Amino acid sequence: MNELSVATSQRRARKQAPSPARTVPLFDLKRQEPRTHARIRARMDQVLRHCQFVLGPEVEELENALASYCGARHAIAVSAGRDALIMALMALGAGPGDAVFVPAFTFSATAGAVAAIGATPVFVDVDATSFNIDPADLERVASAVAAVGKLKPKAVMPVDLYGLPADYAAIGAVAERYGMVVVADAAQSFGAVAGGKAVGTLAPITATSFYPTKVLGGFGDGGALFTDDDDLAAEVRLIRTHGRLGSGDEALRLGMTGRLDTLQAAVLLIKLEDFPEELDARRRIAAMYTDDLCNDVITPTVPPGFESTWALYTVRIPDRDGVRTRLAEAGVGTGLFYATPLHRHAAFAPWINGGEALPVSESLAGEVLSLPIYGDLTDEEVGYVVEQLKAAL
Ligand SMILES: *Cc1c(COP(=O)(O)O)cnc(C)c1O
């Protein structure tokens, strides 16, 4: 194509698809940059000067800040959210022959962590209102696994989906009946609350992620584990450094390269300063969405005594895909978290027997749609998303 025909076809393309009045992306990390740049730069410069790039002082400072934020006795900064789940399972001694129960409606890393240590992920259905693991279905599936007797029920890994804590009271009761430990996948919910207790203290061990688009996000991969159990914390610290204690060279147990970089800790210390404000803004935006949309679509609800982080604001719409296309044409970014329940992922086929009954996960996967929600979204943009969603319906 010559220059003229390129210009002509561009003009034609513009005519066919008029560019939207504005664009509201699903995530937009660039908006934080002017606010955080100088502070983060100063913190990172300190690391560049002291050169303790692994387990430098910023890591311990971050761990102390995270522990006091949520009230957990120990916070251990690690390499990623999925690695945190793996290290928690390793510290509990889970492995081949063990069943670890996971919701079927979550990010693939939840079940991926279970399979990675050689344990068997067993899929449990979720509750249609909370999107979280259904304690009654957990009881049903755990009793079936126990009755067959081939696998030992070892742990249950609830996920606080979209930032809303799971029902840990009910899950804990089922776990106790089967002798299982609860490992919380709080990758989306650090900063949330249930029954007056903060995420990080709701389960014997809790894992979170600092992936850049999480509510508390770094400049790369990162995560943390929380526990009140001194022995579990010591075991995780050992696993985090190849199973080596301090400067000793002997591997006392199998471990991994599971540490958070000092540079990431420096970034996260600054992000943590702005975190309460980010949570407040998300809660305010979620309330606006719910007020404006509750008569048009199924909006998410937060049970009494719970507070969500609103990692994602997710509505349910029967004609989800059509609405999503029309919103994209209007410049509104949306996300599908998640369009495929885990038991339908190719990666998990080896652990599927065909007898799984996961109807709620199946139907949610076809209906969920996540809208833009972050502290830097303006009220006007929230209004635009609402208006365009109503029009798209
Ligand atoms: C993001 C996420 C993870 C994985 O975290 P990474 O830091 O990307 O490894 C695990 N579980 C859930 C529910 C997540 O949202």
Side-chain angles (χ1 to χ4, degrees):
M1 263 201 280
N2 62 32
E3 268 173 48
L4 185 66
S5 67
V6 168
T8 312
S9 77
Q10 276 173 352
R11 243 192 328 273
R12 212 178 294 127
R14 263 204 300 278
K15 214 169 174 185
Q16 278 162 357
S19 59
R22 58 163 79 211
T23 56
V24 184
L26 178 63
F27 300 114
D28 191 356
L29 298 175
K30 282 188 186 152
R31 296 187 188 193
Q32 303 174 359
E33 198 268 343
R35 211 174 46 247
T36 57
H37 188 124
R39 284 179 291 150
I40 289 177
R41 191 56 184 263
R43 270 283 188 176
M44 291 178 92
D45 281 348
Q46 282 173 13
V47 178
L48 300 196
R49 282 193 289 268
H50 68 54
C51 294
Q52 294 178 59
F53 299 121
V54 171
L55 297 185
E58 285 78 6
V59 174
E60 199 182 328
E61 188 182 343
L62 177 68
E63 290 180 338
N64 292 337
L66 292 170
S68 70
Y69 185 92
C70 69
R73 197 168 150 79
H74 302 277
I76 303 149
V78 301
S79 43
R82 181 177 180 274
D83 294 345
L85 293 170
I86 289 175
M87 286 187 261
L89 291 169
M90 287 171 77
L92 294 168
D98 290 332
V100 178
F101 298 85
V102 296
F105 188 65
T106 174
F107 182 53
S108 61
T110 311
V114 176
I117 52 124
T120 299
V122 180
F123 300 100
V124 177
D125 213 356
V126 296
D127 176 86
T129 307
S130 68
F131 302 103
N132 285 331
I133 196 166
D134 176 357
D137 203 55
L138 173 63
E139 171 74 52
R140 180 184 71 81
V141 180
S143 85
V145 166
V148 172
K150 277 196 194 149
L151 296 170
K152 178 186 182 310
K154 179 75 179 177
V156 52
M157 207 183 261
V159 177
D160 304 338
L161 208 68
Y162 310 141
L164 178 70
D167 185 353
Y168 286 96
I171 294 161
V174 179
E176 204 175 308
R177 273 200 287 287
Y178 293 92
M180 299 192 284
V181 183
V182 181
V183 179
D185 180 347
Q188 301 179 8
S189 64
F190 183 70
V193 175
K197 290 176 74 184
V199 163
T201 66
L202 299 174
I205 189 159
T206 299
T208 196
S209 164
F210 302 129
Y211 186 79
T213 53
K214 307 291 187 191
V215 186
L216 179 59
F219 287 180
D221 287 306
L225 277 164
F226 301 92
T227 184
D228 286 345
D229 183 321
D230 296 347
D231 296 336
L232 214 44
E235 201 63 15
V236 167
R237 289 187 188 278
L238 205 53
I239 293 167
R240 183 175 70 164
T241 49
H242 313 282
R244 289 165 53 238
L245 200 57
S247 56
D249 86 317
E250 188 193 353
L252 303 176
R253 57 152 299 150
L254 291 179
M256 52 193 273
T257 315
R259 300 162 298 228
L260 182 79
D261 291 337
T262 308
L263 277 169
Q264 288 301 342
V267 172
L268 286 160
L269 278 163
I270 300 300
K271 297 296 286 287
L272 194 58
E273 291 177 357
D274 297 356
F275 186 56
E277 219 171 286
E278 175 69 26
L279 288 173
D280 283 349
R282 285 175 185 248
R283 285 173 185 149
R284 203 176 58 80
I285 295 166
M288 285 169 68
Y289 275 144
T290 301
D291 279 351
D292 292 341
L293 292 171
C294 63
N295 296 321
D296 303 278
V297 295
I298 302 175
T299 48
T301 54
V302 176
F306 283 64
E307 270 183 61
S308 177
T309 59
W310 298 106
L312 294 163
Y313 187 93
T314 304
V315 298
R316 291 170 55 195
I317 306 173
D319 172 30
R320 189 263 319 274
D321 295 334
V323 168
R324 182 165 198 241
T325 304
R326 289 189 285 282
L327 282 172
E329 284 162 8
V332 175
T334 57
L336 303 183
F337 305 100
Y338 298 89
T340 311
L342 297 194
H343 60 292
R344 302 237 176 263
H345 287 222
F348 302 121
W351 296 279
I352 296 304
N353 60 37
E356 289 80 8
L358 302 157
V360 180
S361 298
E362 301 261 353
S363 71
L364 288 177
E367 291 183 359
V368 289
L369 187 69
S370 300
L371 306 179
I373 187 162
Y374 35 88
D376 292 297
L377 212 55
T378 66
D379 287 5
E380 200 194 350
E381 287 175 309
V382 174
Y384 182 73
V385 174
V386 167
E387 174 195 307
Q388 292 305 319
L389 177 56
K390 286 181 194 256
L393 291 164

